[in-house]
Amino acid sequence: MNQIAIIGRLTRNPETRVTSGANPVTIASFTVAVDREKKTQGGATADFIPCKAFNKTAENIEKYLKKGSQVGVQGRIQTGVYEKDGKKVYTTEVIADRVEFLGSKNGNNSADDVQSETPEGFERITDEMIPF
């Protein structure tokens, strides 16, 4: 079984491209910063996980997400290898089957927009709390 689910924030704006050919495919590439449970002496640490989505999901990512957007990603891990300058380069990425847009509906995740969406007993995350 090869399944993964992560929640985090985009580290930069998604990059999209469309393949050429008879059946063009839209591909969105993005990186999700996921907090680790264990904290270091200097504060929180995160893993930066490269992800790809295809077709309609990729189009929606391009349209609605930007750096700092909170997302939930479900998919599978895919590894690969290629040669560059005579050396093997190994890759690992998440191929997203489903991407949930978390946070405010208009996508800017400002404190005013999420005020009413923050359940009682939970801390509201503001832009100033995001380390990137």
Side-chain angles (χ1 to χ4, degrees):
M1 183 180 308
N2 182 357
Q3 293 184 352
I4 186 167
I6 58 174
I7 294 176
R9 294 191 180 272
L10 270 60
T11 61
R12 64 181 191 279
N13 291 334
E15 297 175 8
T16 58
R17 64 184 174 93
V18 179
T19 62
S20 59
N23 296 317
V25 175
T26 304
I27 303 169
S29 298
F30 55 101
T31 301
V32 178
V34 178
D35 286 336
R36 291 183 183 171
E37 279 190 38
K38 280 198 164 191
K39 308 283 184 195
T40 63
Q41 290 180 4
T45 59
D47 291 305
F48 300 92
I49 302 171
C51 303
K52 280 189 182 167
F54 298 90
N55 297 318
K56 189 65 175 173
T57 302
E59 293 168 12
N60 286 332
I61 288 169
E62 177 183 34
K63 188 174 181 179
Y64 296 110
L65 296 180
K66 63 182 182 188
K67 177 182 177 178
S69 296
Q70 187 177 32
V71 295
V73 179
Q74 290 181 323
R76 62 183 169 83
I77 298 271
Q78 179 171 292
T79 60
V81 63
Y82 64 92
E83 200 165 306
K84 182 176 182 178
D85 300 328
K87 295 184 180 180
K88 285 187 177 183
V89 177
Y90 296 91
T91 62
T92 302
E93 61 191 359
V94 172
I95 303 301
D97 296 325
R98 182 175 173 189
V99 177
E100 292 280 334
F101 305 166
L102 306 175
S104 66
K105 290 182 182 177
N106 66 8
N108 69 8
N109 294 328
S110 72
D112 295 334
D113 294 330
V114 296
Q115 176 80 27
S116 62
E117 297 177 32
T118 306
E120 191 173 312
F122 288 84
E123 180 181 4
R124 183 169 28 101
I125 297 174
T126 63
D127 289 341
E128 291 79 28
M129 299 167 114
I130 301 171
F132 44 84

